[in-house]
Amino acid sequence: MAGGGVGDPTGKKKKYAIFGVTSFLLVAMVIAVAYGINSGDHQDGSNPSAEITTSSKSVQSICQPTDYREICEKSLRKAAGNTTDPHKLVQAGFQVTIDALQQALQNSSTLKEVAKDPMAKQALDNCKELMDDAIHDLKVSFEEVGHFDVSKMDEYLENLKIWLSATITYQQTCLDGFDNTTGPAGAKMKEILTLSSQLSSNGLAMITGLSSMLKDLNLAGLTGRRLLKDNSEFPSWLSHEKRRLLAQTPDTVKPDIVVAKDGSGQYKTINEAVHKIPKNQNTTFVIYIKKGIYKEQVTISRSVTHIMMIGDGATKTRITGDLNYAAGVQTLQTSTVSVSGNHFIAKDIGFENTAGAIGHQAVALRVQSDMSIFYNCQMDGYQDTLFAHTHRQFYRDCTITGTIDFIFGDAAAVFQNCKIVVRKPLENQNCVVTAQGRNESREATGFVLQNCNITADPEYYPVRFENKAYLGRPWKEYSRTVYMQCQIDDLIDPKGWLPWMGSFALDTLSYSEYENRGPGSVTKDRVTWKGIKKLSAQDAAAFTVAKFIGGDLWIPATGVSYASGMMNV
C-alpha cells in the first residue's frame, strides 16, 4: 500500500520513521566528521590499531569533550557493550550516572550514625531529596535522547543542557548543606558523590560537545528554534479555555479552587488547596487566593505541574513565614514557599520571610520549576530572599527586596522590568544583590537583569554609603550575572562587584554590564577582574529572553507582557 500504515491516512507514521532514521544518521555523521571514528583505517582496508574496535572508537569520540575522560570511557564500555549507536551511548552515559546517584542515595543512609550535629542531620535529609531530584532530571534527559527529533534540534539540546545543569546543581546544593557543620558527615558525603558528580559533568560535556559540533558544521535548518506564530499555536499543556491566563484578573478568570481566609472560598489555607490538586496533569490548574495574610509553609512538589496561583495583589495576598538559619534551620528548608512542579505561574502574590536581618539566611521563595513565570509578584526578605535554584525562570514586573545575596541560586533566570530594593542590613554588614551559583563553565545558567530598577529602601538610604551595596559576588566558581538596560541608583559602590573570599573565582566568573543608566551605572572605577566581560551588541543579545531561556517558545501563550529581545528604554 502507498502512503502511511493502516489507520494512518496522513502518512505521519512514515514521516516520523524517516525523522527517526535521519536523527540517528545525523548524530552518527556529526561524531564521525568531528572526531574521525574510522580515521585509523588505511586505504587498503587494513587497520594498524585493530585492537580498537569501532565501538571503542565511538566511545572515545563521545567522551572526547569530557573532563573525566577515563571514567567516561570505562563506564560507557561497561554499560553500552559493543553498540556504536550515538543515542545509546549517550543514554548509557546518563544511565550510569543514574545508577551512581542511586548508589549514593543508598550509601548516604550510612551517614546517620556520624551526623551528630543537628544541622548535619538536616543536611543529610536535604541530600536525599536533592539526589532524588537529580535522578529525576537524568531520567527525563534519558527519555529525551530516546525521543530525539531532528526538526527541533536546538530546542532539544537546550532542554538537555538545562536539565543536566540542574543535576549538577542539586549535588552541589547537597554538599553546601554541610558548610559550618561539625563532624565527618560532610567529607564523607563529598566522597560518596564524587563519582556521580564526575559522571554528571561528563553528561553535560557530551551534550555541549554535540551542540558545538552542529554549530561548527552549520547544518542549515536543523538548529532553528520553533516559534509560536501570532500566539495561535499553544503548548499542549495550556488548554484553550485557560490560555492567556496572565492577561486575566480574578474577576475574569474561572479558578478551579478558591482559597479565602474569611471562609468565602472552598478552603481557608493554601496547603489544603494544594493537597487537592491532581498529580502530573498537563493542563493548567488555577488557584485563586483571595486577599489576606497566609502564615504557612507551602510546597508545590515535583508531581504537581502546570499550576497557576493568582492573588488580589502582591501587597494584598501574602504568603509569609519566618524560618531562618539563625534559629537552626538549614537554608533549603527556610523557604516560605517552595516550587518544584514545572510550568508554575504566579500573578499578584506576595512571598515573604519575616525573620529579619538577624535571622541571616531566610528564604521567602525557592524555585526549581522549569519554564516558570512570576508576574507582578513581590518577594520580601533580608538575606537569601529569592532562591532561584534551577531550570528556566522568568520574572516580570516583580519587586524583590533584601540585604545580602538576596537573589541567589543556579537557575537560568531573566528578571525584566523588576524593582530590586536593597534594605538596611545589620550594622557591620554590606549588601549584595546577587550571588549566582554556576558550578561549571558548560552550565546553561546565569542571572540576567534587564531594564530593572536597582534602588534603596527608605530605611537603607541614609546609610547606603556606610553599609555599601554591590551588584553581586561569585558564590560558585563560574558565577554568571548580566545587568543590561537597568536604572542603577547611587547606592551601588563604584567598584560594582564584591569578591566572595580572596581571589576565589575572580578569573572564572562572568560578570557584565551593558547600556545601564543612572549614577550607580558608571563603570570607570569598576573592579578589573579577568572575569569581568565587556559585551558587544551581539554578545548582549545572547542574554535576551528569546535566546537565553528560549522564552519565545513558552511565554507568549500565557499572555504575559514581555520583551523578547533588547528593549527601547
Side-chain angles (χ1 to χ4, degrees), residues 246-283:
L246 289 178
Q248 300 194 45
T249 68
D251 294 330
T252 60
V253 72
K254 184 179 180 182
D256 295 284
I257 288 179
V258 177
V259 179
K261 285 188 70 69
D262 62 9
S264 60
Q266 289 123 300
Y267 304 102
K268 289 186 177 181
T269 70
I270 299 167
N271 275 309
E272 287 178 293
V274 168
H275 292 152
K276 298 298 181 180
I277 299 172
K279 301 290 191 297
N280 297 313
Q281 59 184 359
N282 60 3
T283 57

Side-chain angles (χ1 to χ4, degrees), residues 318-332:
R318 297 186 65 78
I319 311 171
T320 184
D322 59 6
L323 297 179
N324 61 87
Y325 190 86
V329 182
Q330 279 276 1
T331 304
L332 197 71

Side-chain angles (χ1 to χ4, degrees), residues 257-487:
I257 288 179
V258 177
V259 179
K261 285 188 70 69
D262 62 9
S264 60
Q266 289 123 300
Y267 304 102
K268 289 186 177 181
T269 70
I270 299 167
N271 275 309
E272 287 178 293
V274 168
H275 292 152
K276 298 298 181 180
I277 299 172
K279 301 290 191 297
N280 297 313
Q281 59 184 359
N282 60 3
T283 57
T284 305
F285 190 93
V286 181
I287 302 176
Y288 168 37
I289 307 172
K290 291 189 176 183
K291 65 181 180 180
I293 297 175
Y294 297 82
K295 186 172 175 52
E296 49 184 313
Q297 192 172 25
V298 178
T299 298
I300 307 297
S301 68
R302 194 174 65 221
S303 62
V304 181
T305 62
H306 305 96
I307 303 305
M308 177 180 177
M309 288 185 174
I310 183 170
D312 282 323
T315 59
K316 296 179 180 178
T317 298
R318 297 186 65 78
I319 311 171
T320 184
D322 59 6
L323 297 179
N324 61 87
Y325 190 86
V329 182
Q330 279 276 1
T331 304
L332 197 71
Q333 299 302 329
T334 64
S335 309
T336 301
V337 176
S338 300
V339 183
S340 296
N342 292 341
H343 303 292
F344 179 84
I345 302 171
K347 178 186 179 184
D348 295 333
I349 293 179
F351 305 88
E352 184 179 39
N353 192 309
T354 61
I358 199 169
H360 298 292
Q361 296 95 322
V363 179
L365 174 66
R366 174 167 70 101
V367 184
Q368 59 187 61
S369 167
D370 196 18
M371 300 186 187
S372 52
I373 297 176
F374 294 82
Y375 179 43
N376 198 32
C377 290
Q378 187 156 330
M379 301 84 181
D380 290 319
Y382 285 82
Q383 183 171 346
D384 292 1
T385 303
L386 173 60
F387 191 177
H389 196 184
T390 56
H391 298 125
R392 287 161 287 202
Q393 306 175 17
F394 181 58
Y395 299 80
R396 170 77 183 203
D397 298 341
C398 292
T399 298
I400 306 167
T401 72
T403 54
I404 301 171
D405 305 337
F406 62 95
I407 302 174
F408 77 111
D410 192 25
V414 177
F415 302 84
Q416 196 173 84
N417 284 21
C418 291
K419 187 176 183 181
I420 312 299
V421 182
V422 178
R423 304 177 81 171
K424 185 179 179 181
L426 298 177
E427 286 187 9
N428 62 342
Q429 293 178 332
N430 290 323
C431 296
V432 188
V433 176
T434 66
Q436 205 281 329
R438 192 167 63 139
N439 296 283
E440 293 198 10
S441 62
R442 297 184 184 95
E443 285 189 56
T445 59
F447 292 162
V448 179
L449 291 85
Q450 183 182 21
N451 198 38
C452 292
N453 185 3
I454 319 300
T455 191
D457 181 82
E459 289 189 12
Y460 172 64
Y461 187 84
V463 298
R464 68 193 186 284
F465 299 137
E466 299 167 27
N467 300 88
K468 298 176 180 180
Y470 299 86
L471 297 172
R473 60 176 180 160
W475 183 26
K476 301 298 178 185
E477 191 171 359
Y478 293 92
S479 178
R480 178 162 63 181
T481 303
V482 177
Y483 284 80
M484 60 186 191
Q485 301 184 299
C486 291
Q487 166 67 37

Side-chain angles (χ1 to χ4, degrees), residues 495-560:
K495 292 181 180 178
W497 307 87
L498 187 69
W500 184 267
M501 184 180 295
S503 61
F504 170 75
L506 302 188
D507 290 347
T508 52
L509 59 78
S510 180
Y511 287 166
S512 300
E513 300 174 63
Y514 181 77
E515 289 189 349
N516 297 309
R517 58 195 183 275
S521 69
V522 179
T523 59
K524 70 180 181 66
D525 293 322
R526 290 292 197 251
V527 292
T528 57
W529 309 329
K530 184 178 178 181
I532 301 295
K533 310 294 185 185
K534 187 174 182 179
L535 301 181
S536 66
Q538 183 178 359
D539 294 333
F543 294 103
T544 57
V545 170
K547 294 187 177 181
F548 191 60
I549 57 174
D552 287 347
L553 298 177
W554 52 279
I555 297 175
T558 65
V560 65

Side-chain angles (χ1 to χ4, degrees), residues 127-202:
C127 281
K128 293 176 181 178
E129 175 189 329
L130 291 160
M131 281 188 276
D132 187 60
D133 288 333
I135 290 168
H136 173 267
D137 274 21
L138 278 166
K139 287 181 176 178
V140 171
S141 300
F142 181 97
E143 293 172 2
E144 184 82 347
V145 172
H147 298 124
F148 176 71
D149 184 345
V150 70
S151 69
K152 302 175 184 176
M153 174 74 77
D154 198 40
E155 182 180 347
Y156 160 87
L157 292 172
E158 291 305 314
N159 284 342
L160 288 174
K161 283 190 277 189
I162 286 291
W163 299 333
L164 291 169
S165 296
T167 297
I168 292 168
T169 301
Y170 291 137
Q171 293 174 76
Q172 184 59 52
T173 304
C174 160
L175 297 178
D176 288 341
F178 292 94
D179 290 348
N180 303 317
T181 62
T182 59
K188 289 184 177 294
M189 180 58 77
K190 185 174 183 179
E191 182 180 342
I192 287 171
L193 284 177
T194 296
L195 179 59
S196 61
S197 296
Q198 292 174 345
L199 290 171
S200 299
S201 172
N202 285 345

